[in-house]
Amino acid sequence: MTGSSADLHIHTSYSDGLYPPAETVRMAKDVNLKAMAITDHDTVAGLKEGKLAGRKLGIEVISGVELSCELDGNEIHMLGYFAPGNETELEERLEWYQAKREERVFEIIDRLNQAGIILNIAEVRRFSTGKSIGRLHVAKALMAQGTARSVHEVFSRFLGPDGVAYVPKAKLSIQEAVEFIHEHQGVGVLAHPGMYRIENAAERTLEYLDGIEVWYPEHSPSFEDHLYALALKNRLMPTGGSDYHGVGRNEIGCVRIPYSIVTRLLEVAVGV
Ligand SMILES: [Zn+2]
Ligand SMILES: [Zn+2]
């Protein structure tokens, strides 16, 4: 499928992606996508730049976000896709959430300092090109100062549940996330149901969802079949995307869905 397909799950440097929005949009255009969604973690601050680039290059950039939520103590991600035009209001509403993330980083730094590891907020900020700041930026700072050699080591020794500087995330419930998305003319889609520690994430959250991310690089074909049937049976929209971050793993456009799904998604978002 070329020229009439979409990748609805893409990150930029405004969250934990490697490339700025304009660069990311250009790459999507280069692999001949008709539409793409920017779905940064807990921020829509990259949309403006992305949409501008999209208009110049002739590729449709859908407003999206990936919200971190919690289900029974496990992290679950909800994708929101929005009707165009309300990015500014959306961003304002998401800022309280970013403030919470920053608070968490300060707390992590406090705990690291207490454990004898000297790190300050400026060192962490150096690794954040966008607006949001989180644990990955702390990890990069620790690696840069030679305290740890890999992200894995950082999480097992410091930031993970068994680490000395573990601070649980302040998270939304699935219900709160979907309410937030609906309040802003959006549709709520459960991201990558196959990627959680919790089993049957889709089955357990069906009542709140507008859609399920069926097509995803790490989903097996049989799991995708299962999710697709589940979506149809419950009148939910099936979506898909690469979860592109720009590093190592999935390439942009490696998952493509028909453009007709995008049309439907936006119709539902504006209440057609
Ligand atoms: Zn995710
Ligand atoms: Zn993602």
Side-chain angles (χ1 to χ4, degrees), residues 71-88:
L71 183 64
D72 297 344
N74 291 281
E75 185 166 323
I76 301 275
H77 294 166
M78 277 298 302
L79 293 162
Y81 297 106
F82 303 91
N86 52 5
E87 292 82 20
T88 311

Side-chain angles (χ1 to χ4, degrees), residues 40-44 65-68 94 97-98 101 169:
D40 279 317
H41 293 286
D42 308 312
T43 179
V44 291
V65 72
E66 183 169 22
L67 298 174
S68 304
L94 281 168
Y97 203 80
Q98 288 166 10
R101 282 166 74 98
K169 211 167 175 177

Side-chain angles (χ1 to χ4, degrees), residues 36-80:
M36 63 176 282
I38 293 180
T39 54
D40 279 317
H41 293 286
D42 308 312
T43 179
V44 291
L47 288 178
K48 212 173 168 183
E49 181 189 325
K51 288 190 170 231
L52 196 70
R55 273 194 293 275
K56 274 191 201 148
L57 296 168
I59 170 171
E60 186 175 347
V61 176
I62 313 290
S63 302
V65 72
E66 183 169 22
L67 298 174
S68 304
C69 309
E70 193 190 283
L71 183 64
D72 297 344
N74 291 281
E75 185 166 323
I76 301 275
H77 294 166
M78 277 298 302
L79 293 162

Side-chain angles (χ1 to χ4, degrees), residues 2 6 26 38 47 57 63 65-66 73 100 107 113 130 147 156 166 168 176 179 208 231 267:
T2 52
R26 192 191 53 72
I38 293 180
L47 288 178
L57 296 168
S63 302
V65 72
E66 183 169 22
K100 278 217 151 65
E107 214 177 316
N113 290 344
T147 304
S156 65
Y166 176 64
E176 286 168 331
E179 273 169 19
Y208 305 117
E267 279 172 2

